[in-house]
Amino acid sequence: CNWAQAKFASFGLSDSRLEQWGTFPVGFDRRLSVGAMTSPSKLELSFNTNAWTPGTDGKVSGPAIVAPQTEEELTALTGKLSNAWVLASTSKYTPRFNNLEGTSLRDRFGAMCVAEGYAGVVKPSGKSGLLLTRGRYSIDIDNLPQHVNITLLREQFPNIFQLTKDGADVQLEFDIDQTFTAGPIPQFNVLAEIPGTDLANEIVIVGGHIDSWDGARGAQDNGTGTSTTLEAARILKKTLDELGVQPRRTIRFMLWSGEEQGLLGSRAYIEQHPAENEIISAVLVHDGGTNTCSGIQATPDLEPLFNEAFGPIIAHTADNVDEDLRFR
């Protein structure tokens, strides 16, 4: 946020600033995340964990075991769970820890895992070739999550699962360094503007969200939207200065944070500036990732206005050989 604020200021925009919209109760950081199957063969594992969840206490090696589905399978695991990595093909079979006195199979399995010092749960990702990051930020520093939950790339899970089910000595090893920081951790939106003239009290907003899930690189969601917002600000300011003109309305460039946790920054902005709701003329947000920006969505009522406003761009791209590059 500080970097983006400095960028806006370097372009010559007015009132480049940070606005705090709230706090997170606990901070979360990742420092290391490696894992492998070490037996019966060696295989580097592709996996992730959710944000605001614990890592391991250093490198933890142990046997893979298949989560029990019957009473007999549960009984057979007695005394075998120390440092064990539990393979759960679906959430239906994962140990449950919120009712360790419960009588269901999952409750009793959870109690056994805790009592014997299991290592964690390993489950497959929901989609092939993709690891998604999520996370619940509203946690208490005095009651932090305790259980390691690993999502393994879907393509790698079946072989490890089947080897274990067939009785092979499957050994897994994970070293995941994740830390919590006591909050409150302040959260900010970044704002800057090009002032208007006779309609300066009306606002056009151009923006995107500056945050991303920490398990990803953030390039597409939403480094792209952050970049286009910054670049729009740079080009517009430079062009207006060169032409010696000003827009009639104030153009406000905004980068919101907390989007991934529920549009928190943008919702808070509206709540903090209620008087602006009636004077916002347009909001342009880019959160579509990469590929060409070959069009803009509009309601039927807005379509005639948009066709007029974007007429020069439509005409400029109409003859492009690549249809995806024709703006509409």
Side-chain angles (χ1 to χ4, degrees), residues 117-255:
Y118 89 121
V121 173
V122 180
K123 62 182 186 298
S125 61
K127 294 184 179 180
S128 296
L130 192 62
L131 291 165
L132 297 176
T133 307
R134 299 178 178 87
R136 190 171 69 89
Y137 72 94
S138 54
I139 60 175
D140 184 347
I141 194 66
D142 296 320
N143 187 27
L144 294 174
Q146 299 294 319
H147 302 284
V148 178
N149 286 283
I150 291 170
T151 301
L152 189 62
L153 192 67
R154 193 170 190 84
E155 287 77 359
Q156 291 186 327
F157 187 86
N159 184 48
I160 295 173
F161 184 84
Q162 195 60 49
L163 283 170
T164 306
K165 203 165 184 182
D166 291 344
D169 177 23
V170 178
Q171 295 287 319
L172 301 179
E173 181 178 274
F174 291 95
D175 192 353
I176 306 169
D177 184 2
Q178 299 179 171
T179 60
F180 299 101
T181 304
I185 310 295
Q187 305 296 316
F188 300 94
N189 293 325
V190 189
L191 288 76
E193 51 201 33
I194 298 174
T197 51
D198 61 315
L199 298 178
N201 66 322
E202 297 182 16
I203 302 170
V204 172
I205 292 175
V206 179
H209 69 91
I210 195 169
D211 64 305
S212 68
W213 278 114
D214 67 303
R217 295 179 180 180
Q220 296 192 59
D221 188 10
N222 188 31
T224 44
T226 299
S227 298
T228 51
T229 300
L230 288 163
E231 191 66 347
R234 185 188 69 82
I235 292 171
L236 273 171
K237 177 61 176 167
K238 182 173 182 289
T239 304
L240 292 169
D241 287 350
E242 289 174 351
L243 295 175
V245 297
Q246 284 181 268
R248 297 184 69 190
R249 292 170 178 81
T250 297
I251 304 173
R252 181 166 295 162
F253 299 90
M254 298 180 59
L255 298 171

Side-chain angles (χ1 to χ4, degrees), residues 54-127:
T56 59
D57 186 11
K59 188 182 294 183
V60 176
S61 301
I65 63 121
V66 173
Q69 300 180 28
T70 65
E71 291 289 341
E72 292 75 17
E73 290 175 349
L74 178 63
T75 301
L77 291 176
T78 303
K80 298 178 180 178
L81 294 176
S82 178
N83 275 355
W85 294 101
V86 176
L87 303 179
S89 55
T90 73
S91 57
K92 211 166 128 179
Y93 305 123
T94 57
R96 193 156 46 199
F97 301 104
N98 59 357
N99 185 18
L100 297 180
E101 303 298 322
T103 58
S104 74
L105 185 73
R106 288 178 63 195
D107 291 335
R108 285 180 289 128
F109 182 38
M112 187 187 297
C113 285
V114 172
E116 295 189 14
Y118 89 121
V121 173
V122 180
K123 62 182 186 298
S125 61
K127 294 184 179 180

